[in-house]
Amino acid sequence: MNKNRLVTVTLTALAPMSWGSTYYVTTQFLPADRPLFTGMMRALPAGLALLALTRRLPRGEWWWKAVVLGALNIGAFFPLLFLSAYRLPGGMAAVIGSVGPLWVAGLAALFLGEKPTLRTLLTGIAAALGVSLVVLKAAGAFDTIGVVAALGSSASMSAGTVFTKRWGRPEGTGPLVMTGWQLTAGGLLIAPIAFFVEGAPPALDGRNIAGYVYLALVNTAVAYWLWFRGIGRMTATSVTFLGPLSPLTAAVIGWAALGQALAPVQLLGMAIAFGATLAGQAAPKPLRAATAPGTREPAAPEAPEIPAAPKKPSGLAKSL
């Protein structure tokens, strides 16, 4: 792995690592039983702040593309994720969500021309196994709605990753602008659902406000900017293999800050999932100079980015 690619992978990895802190912040700083309001507060203020900073709105076809990407990456992903976290027993939702690399491998083959290899499939299975060992608790009652929601959240984020790569960006538009568009669109989609399901916003104290500021700025605005930046420079499959870092980070924070014990089987799972993450970053065979279908960016992962030319959430909430 050359130096430029190493820097890109490292910076992109900071996004899922930041998302791994969501469980701690949610349970220690935020009002209980308001998952949809929290999802809206993560997305909408951050998106509006980025719009004010960049002062650029979509044009032409990018109005509907921004809405589609915002719905896939934020607007549908957050509610489905929380729904599955509340309806499934501890950790099961995170396990189902960990099949994301396999979703992306299939979608990338269809829309990006990134043919999955046997190594990719085996690495995806290993990542899911590792996450399972880390977060899966004793099995509970099977809940069809919860399982469908977990699969839907994983498929939504995976599709968002692939189509973000496929459509690229408008000429002269950087990842910060794209992040603002998607967060705003996603937040606006969540807002009416949050008010309909949960009612009026709760009263907030200083601790709550500090938690929401962290989620909106660090956990969402910066993290999603790094994520979308990474999608522009890496293959979609390589990016999604960084996802297991989120539940792994949550487990480490739970151990360090909340005194949650890590059993030997969990340590083994962390080693397997981390190894799969590293294996997923192995540079694929060099691709020809042609771009991936429908993109404006080279498909090679090391291609440089073109500049301006609540109820306590269960296991899956740890991987938000």
Side-chain angles (χ1 to χ4, degrees):
M1 186 183 297
N2 62 44
K3 182 178 179 181
N4 288 339
R5 178 170 168 75
L6 178 61
V7 171
T8 296
V9 171
T10 302
L11 289 176
T12 308
L14 293 177
M17 292 175 68
S18 170
W19 298 333
S21 68
T22 304
Y23 176 75
Y24 173 77
V25 175
T26 299
T27 57
Q28 302 300 311
F29 287 84
L30 304 184
D33 302 320
R34 305 307 293 259
L36 292 175
F37 177 76
T38 295
M40 182 193 71
M41 291 296 290
R42 285 182 65 184
L44 191 55
L48 293 175
L50 291 181
L51 286 184
L53 177 66
T54 59
R55 298 183 179 181
R56 180 163 182 175
L57 294 175
R59 295 182 180 179
E61 65 179 5
W62 275 99
W63 278 105
W64 68 264
K65 286 184 176 180
V67 172
V68 170
L69 293 177
L72 291 173
N73 288 316
I74 308 294
F77 174 64
F78 280 2
L80 288 172
L81 190 66
F82 278 118
L83 177 61
S84 64
Y86 271 81
R87 297 187 68 100
L88 293 177
M92 185 180 293
V95 173
I96 297 174
S98 69
V99 301
L102 299 178
W103 278 114
V104 170
L107 292 171
L110 288 174
F111 296 106
L112 302 179
E114 296 179 9
K115 295 182 178 179
T117 63
L118 179 61
R119 184 185 69 185
T120 297
L121 298 177
L122 292 177
T123 303
I125 294 172
L129 173 62
V131 172
S132 301
L133 295 177
V134 173
V135 303
L136 191 58
K137 308 299 182 185
F142 180 84
D143 186 283
T144 302
I145 295 177
V147 171
V148 171
L151 289 172
S153 68
S154 179
S156 178
M157 185 66 168
S158 299
T161 297
V162 169
F163 279 100
T164 299
K165 182 69 177 180
R166 177 180 174 85
W167 288 337
R169 300 193 300 269
E171 183 178 355
T173 301
L176 197 64
V177 174
M178 289 288 293
T179 303
W181 293 352
Q182 294 189 50
L183 290 176
T184 301
L188 289 174
L189 290 172
I190 296 174
I193 301 175
F195 289 124
F196 177 78
V197 174
E198 299 177 350
L204 303 178
D205 59 23
R207 189 175 183 83
N208 300 152
I209 293 173
Y212 282 125
V213 169
Y214 168 81
L215 288 183
L217 295 182
V218 178
N219 186 273
T220 303
V222 175
Y224 272 95
W225 168 64
L226 291 172
W227 187 252
F228 295 140
R229 176 183 180 275
I231 292 174
R233 299 185 176 203
M234 302 162 61
T235 64
T237 304
S238 294
V239 171
T240 199
F241 267 117
L242 296 173
L245 292 176
S246 182
L248 298 188
T249 302
V252 171
I253 293 176
W255 167 75
L258 301 177
Q260 298 173 351
L262 289 175
V265 68
Q266 291 177 295
L267 296 176
L268 174 62
M270 293 175 71
I272 294 174
F274 187 69
T277 297
L278 293 179
Q281 305 314 308
K285 294 180 180 180
L287 301 176
R288 295 181 179 179
T291 58
T295 68
R296 293 189 173 95
E297 302 183 37
E302 61 272 6
E305 179 185 2
I306 301 174
K311 187 196 320 185
K312 285 192 178 181
S314 61
L316 185 57
K318 300 182 180 182
S319 61
L320 287 177

